[in-house]
Amino acid sequence: NSEDVRCKCICPPYKDHSGHIYNKNVSQKDCDCLHVVEPMPVPGPDVEAYCLRCECKYEERSSVTIKVSCVILLV
């Protein structure tokens, strides 16, 4: 089961926490570290510093177009 929109946050290693990639289906306006990174791997005082290191991108795709293209290619 896949969605056509998502927010992808790539967070590099921070202190003793390893890097991680987070994906979540949220709206474009909510595409930031605070809405996507769950559970937050760092305690309260370090959240801002951790989130500043993360790179979040909103991504869209059309699964219908992809399916139609595959069918045309196979035919």
Side-chain angles (χ1 to χ4, degrees):
N1 188 14
S2 63
E3 297 290 329
D4 285 342
V5 295
R6 72 176 177 179
C7 183
K8 180 179 182 181
C9 290
I10 301 172
C11 299
Y14 179 76
K15 293 188 178 180
D16 59 343
H17 301 283
S18 61
H20 196 74
I21 297 174
Y22 299 90
N23 293 307
K24 191 171 183 183
N25 298 324
V26 294
S27 66
Q28 189 170 7
K29 69 180 181 77
D30 291 334
C31 185
D32 59 24
C33 174
L34 295 174
H35 290 97
V36 175
V37 176
E38 290 179 357
M40 189 61 70
V42 295
D46 289 336
V47 169
E48 185 177 356
Y50 181 78
C51 281
L52 287 174
R53 298 170 56 91
C54 295
E55 181 181 342
C56 297
K57 293 182 181 178
Y58 183 75
E59 299 175 344
E60 288 184 76
R61 68 176 180 194
S62 174
S63 58
V64 173
T65 303
I66 295 170
K67 290 175 185 176
V68 169
S69 298
C70 288
V71 168
I72 290 172
L73 182 65
L74 292 174
V75 170

